[in-house]
Amino acid sequence: MPDARITASTAAPVGAIDRRLFGSFVEHLGRCVYDGIHEPGHPTADEQGFRQDVLDLVRELGVTTVRYPGGNFVSGYRWEDGVGPKEQRPVRRDLAWHSTETNQVGLHEFAHWNAQAGTEPMLAINLGTRDELAALDLLEYTNLPVGSTLSDQRAANGSVDGFGVRMWCLGNEMDGPWQLGHRSAEDYGKIAGRTAKALRQLQPDLDLVVCGSSGRGMPTFGAWERVVLEHTYDDVDFISAHAYYEPHDGDVDSFLASSVDMDRFIEAVAATADAVKAERRSDKTIFISFDEWNVWYQKRYNEVEKITGQDDWPIAPRLLEDVYTVTDAVVFGSLLISLLKHADRVKAASLAQLVNVIAPIMTEPGGAAWRQTTFFPFAITARLAQGEALSVGVDAPVITTKLFGDVPAVDAVVTRGGDGAAVFLVNRHRGDAVTVRVEVAGLEDARIAETHTIADPDPDAANTLQDPQRVAPSANDTASLEHGVLTVVLPPLSWTAVGLTV
Ligand code: AHR
């Protein structure tokens, strides 16, 4: 395969990389919370039942914000169930995942866990089956200084200062027919607008996220964003986007090009938001919170895992426990590249999810916690991608895909911040290595500090309980830097990061 050429300049940045781009997501779903982050009987559990081995991995992953408590779960959730003495908390049926919710983890426990993880909480409000009054109560309980009934109740429950949550999602996937309380863009836009206005009366400096589409393939995509923003433009800061990718009918090449879909999705949402901006003659720009993204084998969930029995409401069942391969990690790494390439508009993102449920971290009850293949591109990117993303030109051979036509085999992004820079690269070609020349004007004095490549002769290789270290990144010894030009060989089907000191 011929060589590829990547060009960039430190004088042409796309935008500052918001640290919230490296967020994740903890939902009351399957074993994400119970038997995931929280397992009171585990040898590493703290006095509140949180696994310290999992927390060590969360910190290593470099996650910045954590969205909670759902997801689909939130649309049937009463936040009040999760506060107060644990033995008095209600046990409920969770309709989203056909499970039993014990409410042993709620707001206070999640805040305790966040403090240990060093992460910023991002709370989702139930706008599916509840309204602005319940949202106001939640904000009062969560953030307000003592002196009102609910903030005093919080203090009595152990938190005098409150939790200081800045970022709030106004519901979850309200465009989806599967969502409790699913409604039209018009109806959702109205309740989201009213809720945003009400919340800001209690606390003006919130960062509010209105629901965008659950995927670019939704039939209402585009119109949904426009109508919702027409109702909420002045009162919100972000519109959400969600995307999950998997191979369809064994079409691996299209799967490897999934980030093309993510690129188009982001650009379409930004264009729609800007059209509403123009209509309103507004000076304000709406940013994107890509608050659910990942590889997810949804077909498997729908066909094999879904719990439907009326007498079957398990506690913390094994759901959505996808085992990620090398191929998945390459796609995942390319999605991170897509998010960084749009750093001017995507100012927050949440990898869905964090533990056990379509997650980079897996756990065994009473046993080990380990890193999935997707753990590595996330951890390396979160650590190396500092400062701002640079606009990148890519000149590469193409692969032909069913879904996206001809797509460059190589995609890349360059970041620059502090005394460092980094180049992130993906080779989507399954058979051929590619030699890439990376020329970045302004980085002529850079030196290579570290290299990491994920590739394997077996594209289906994965880490499991039995073999937790089967896949790991290795140094890429082909990388060299001369006269400001970085040259590196990307193996077939691989993801690579090169850290530079400047
Ligand atoms: O992350 C799993 C689920 O995917 C979330 O609960 C929902 O918001 C989305 O459909």
Side-chain angles (χ1 to χ4, degrees):
M1 174 171 267
D3 295 349
R5 183 166 170 245
I6 308 293
T7 48
S9 167
T10 54
V14 175
I17 301 165
D18 197 303
R19 298 313 297 166
R20 281 177 172 164
L21 208 67
F22 302 108
S24 186
F25 179 23
V26 166
E27 176 166 1
H28 285 248
L29 190 184
R31 299 191 308 125
C32 187
V33 173
Y34 308 111
D35 279 357
I37 62 172
H38 187 257
E39 189 190 334
H42 192 272
T44 71
D46 69 3
E47 75 291 348
Q48 291 213 26
F50 288 105
R51 283 180 66 155
Q52 299 300 300
D53 59 343
V54 174
L55 272 162
D56 285 344
L57 287 175
V58 170
R59 285 184 287 257
E60 183 184 324
L61 189 63
V63 163
T64 52
T65 54
V66 181
R67 185 168 177 250
Y68 175 86
N72 297 341
F73 171 80
V74 81
S75 293
Y77 185 53
R78 301 165 177 91
W79 65 266
E80 302 88 332
D81 289 353
V83 303
K86 285 188 173 179
E87 60 287 358
Q88 290 170 22
R89 294 186 190 174
V91 174
R92 306 266 190 198
R93 297 275 197 252
D94 160 30
L95 301 182
W97 303 106
H98 209 90
S99 305
T100 293
E101 173 55 52
T102 63
N103 284 303
Q104 293 305 290
V105 171
L107 271 179
H108 290 258
E109 292 78 23
F110 182 62
H112 164 84
W113 181 86
N114 266 279
Q116 287 191 302
T119 48
E120 178 195 351
M122 170 181 174
L123 291 185
I125 292 168
N126 176 357
L127 281 190
T129 54
R130 303 191 86 177
D131 61 12
E132 54 266 53
L133 188 59
L136 281 168
D137 285 352
L138 173 58
L139 180 62
E140 178 184 333
Y141 187 94
T142 306
N143 281 4
L144 257 59
V146 288
S148 67
T149 299
L150 291 172
S151 55
D152 287 351
Q153 189 187 328
R154 177 198 67 229
N157 285 336
S159 175
V160 174
D161 294 337
F163 306 126
V165 178
R166 282 288 296 265
M167 197 157 179
W168 297 78
C169 305
L170 301 168
N172 177 69
E173 294 191 346
M174 298 307 305
D175 63 324
W178 57 86
Q179 198 71 211
L180 273 177
H182 159 241
R183 59 198 78 186
S184 67
E186 190 76 27
D187 289 349
Y188 169 67
K190 284 181 187 161
I191 191 174
R194 288 200 305 271
T195 305
K197 277 192 170 58
L199 293 174
R200 286 206 195 279
Q201 284 183 48
L202 268 191
Q203 188 179 340
D205 65 347
L206 300 174
D207 296 327
L208 298 180
V209 186
V210 74
C211 288
S213 294
S214 322
R216 195 166 79 99
M218 294 298 289
T220 50
F221 173 60
W224 175 274
E225 278 74 5
R226 179 178 51 74
V227 172
V228 165
L229 284 175
E230 279 167 358
H231 284 285
T232 58
Y233 201 91
D234 297 335
D235 302 307
V236 302
D237 308 283
F238 294 87
I239 185 158
S240 70
H242 292 180
Y244 293 101
Y245 298 100
E246 66 184 311
H248 295 284
D249 304 322
D251 180 5
V252 178
D253 287 325
S254 297
F255 177 50
L256 283 164
S258 296
S259 66
V260 173
D261 179 82
M262 190 184 241
D263 289 343
R264 291 177 185 170
F265 192 178
I266 293 168
E267 286 154 24
V269 174
T272 307
D274 288 348
V276 180
K277 175 181 182 172
E279 232 175 62
R280 304 174 70 82
R281 291 140 184 95
S282 173
D283 289 336
K284 176 180 170 185
T285 298
I286 297 287
F287 294 106
I288 296 172
S289 172
F290 216 116
D291 48 40
E292 290 190 31
W293 68 269
N294 205 346
V295 171
W296 174 13
Y297 288 76
Q298 277 191 67
K299 197 159 182 277
R300 186 185 150 73
Y301 168 70
N302 285 323
E303 287 177 358
V304 185
E305 292 183 327
K306 206 168 194 162
I307 308 161
T308 51
Q310 269 318 303
D311 49 1
D312 190 13
W313 297 83
I315 297 174
R318 287 183 186 255
L319 283 179
L320 284 62
E321 300 205 3
D322 288 7
V323 176
Y324 290 120
T325 65
V326 169
T327 304
D328 297 329
V330 172
V331 172
F332 183 100
S334 72
L335 298 175
L336 282 163
I337 289 173
S338 172
L339 292 172
L340 284 168
K341 283 200 306 188
H342 297 93
D344 56 332
R345 288 311 281 262
V346 184
K347 293 291 182 188
S350 302
L351 160 62
Q353 299 194 1
L354 187 58
V355 178
N356 287 330
V357 171
I358 44 173
I361 299 169
M362 298 299 289
T363 71
E364 189 58 20
W370 66 97
R371 302 165 188 80
Q372 293 235 53
T373 58
T374 52
F375 184 100
F376 303 107
F378 191 99
I380 294 167
T381 306
R383 183 170 59 80
L384 291 181
Q386 302 285 340
E388 52 192 14
L390 306 184
S391 174
V392 159
V394 177
D395 183 10
V398 295
I399 59 167
T400 300
T401 70
K402 275 198 201 120
L403 292 183
F404 309 108
D406 284 353
V407 169
V410 174
D411 201 7
V413 70
V414 180
T415 61
R416 167 79 176 98
D419 57 0
V423 184
F424 303 93
L425 300 137
V426 63
N427 177 9
R428 299 167 167 136
H429 201 287
R430 290 195 277 157
D432 293 344
V434 184
T435 301
V436 185
R437 278 168 63 86
V438 184
E439 298 160 31
V440 186
L443 291 186
E444 286 79 9
D445 297 332
R447 289 191 320 279
I448 294 175
E450 52 187 291
T451 59
H452 310 271
T453 288
I454 298 174
D456 200 282
D458 177 5
D460 297 326
N463 293 338
T464 58
L465 175 62
Q466 291 73 31
D467 196 358
Q469 294 180 11
R470 166 65 185 81
V471 178
S474 45
N476 189 322
D477 297 330
T478 68
S480 65
L481 218 166
E482 269 177 53
H483 312 300
V485 178
L486 168 71
T487 307
V488 60
V489 179
L490 309 179
L493 210 156
S494 63
W495 176 88
T496 293
V498 179
L500 306 169
T501 37
V502 181

